[in-house]
Amino acid sequence: MGLAPMMAWQQAMLKPLLRPLRLAMIITFIALLAALLLLRERQWFGLLTGSLGVWVVAVSAADALRSIKRPSESWAKLVAHAAFGIAVLGMSGSFWSSEKIVPLTAGEKLNFAGYDLQFDGVEPVAGPNYVAEQARLQVWQQGRFVTTTHPARRTYPVSTMRTTEAAIITDGLADLYVTLGEPYRDWE
């Protein structure tokens, strides 16, 4: 897919394309090395798909730089291929996701995905058009306090609709997504 934007239909030769592809190969290799250094877990299929996504975007960018003056149809093709590469890159991130459903009581602590969370409890909260049960969780990472979060379950009395308000903590490379579930009384 990365080569397609650079090839003329049924008449392209691969050898003349190798020179403009060197920059794309270097960018892909650097991105792969950066992922290997920055990511805590090695998910090989995720690294492969992420590298392929970077490759498609880099080849599309190299092709755009190779020939700035193009008909608008060529630019549409380049944008479509680059968008596909970005989508593949985004999907590759799902290989590093972790999920854990844990019932906690007030004062209990949980270690998850490099974070330490302390559940302080749930308290009722009244909003302008809702009532809620709001939790309080303290979050630490590597022994350093990060933040206090307040995920909640809201009920809107007018429509009797319930929603979940998540607490999302991001550090640039990862997101911690915390929600408050239904009370679980029979946990053993």
Side-chain angles (χ1 to χ4, degrees):
M1 165 137 286
L3 296 175
M6 299 180 88
M7 301 176 90
W9 182 250
Q10 295 183 343
Q11 46 185 312
M13 301 294 290
L14 186 58
K15 192 171 184 178
L17 296 177
L18 292 179
R19 186 165 190 230
L21 291 178
R22 279 189 281 180
L23 179 61
M25 287 183 222
I26 291 168
I27 290 170
T28 303
F29 184 71
I30 290 171
L32 179 60
L33 284 177
L36 286 170
L37 293 173
L38 292 174
L39 297 174
R40 297 175 208 128
E41 295 179 36
R42 301 266 162 56
Q43 300 287 340
W44 297 108
F45 195 69
L47 287 170
L48 175 67
T49 56
S51 296
L52 290 174
V54 170
W55 167 254
V56 172
V57 172
V59 169
S60 297
D63 190 29
L65 293 175
R66 187 172 63 103
S67 178
I68 297 294
K69 295 180 181 177
R70 296 176 164 261
S72 60
E73 299 86 28
S74 295
W75 282 103
K77 177 178 61 173
L78 286 172
V79 170
H81 283 92
F84 179 78
I86 292 169
V88 169
L89 187 59
M91 288 178 240
S92 71
S94 67
F95 289 99
W96 285 274
S97 67
S98 301
E99 182 176 324
K100 194 169 193 175
I101 299 172
V102 180
L104 298 172
T105 58
E108 211 168 348
K109 294 182 180 181
L110 170 70
N111 181 286
F112 176 68
Y115 291 95
D116 294 310
L117 293 94
Q118 178 177 325
F119 178 62
D120 292 335
V122 177
E123 60 185 31
V125 174
N129 62 343
Y130 64 86
V131 291
E133 296 170 294
Q134 186 173 38
R136 177 184 156 96
L137 285 106
Q138 296 179 49
V139 181
W140 288 272
Q141 188 175 30
Q142 298 174 351
R144 184 181 57 83
F145 179 76
V146 176
T147 190
T148 300
T149 65
H150 298 92
R153 278 190 316 268
R154 290 184 181 175
T155 303
Y156 295 87
V158 173
S159 64
T160 64
M161 183 173 86
R162 293 192 72 159
T163 63
T164 300
E165 300 297 317
I168 302 172
I169 300 112
T170 185
D171 67 3
L173 290 176
D175 293 327
L176 178 64
Y177 181 93
V178 182
T179 62
L180 179 62
E182 295 296 323
Y184 196 82
R185 290 168 176 51
D186 298 326
W187 184 260
E188 289 183 24

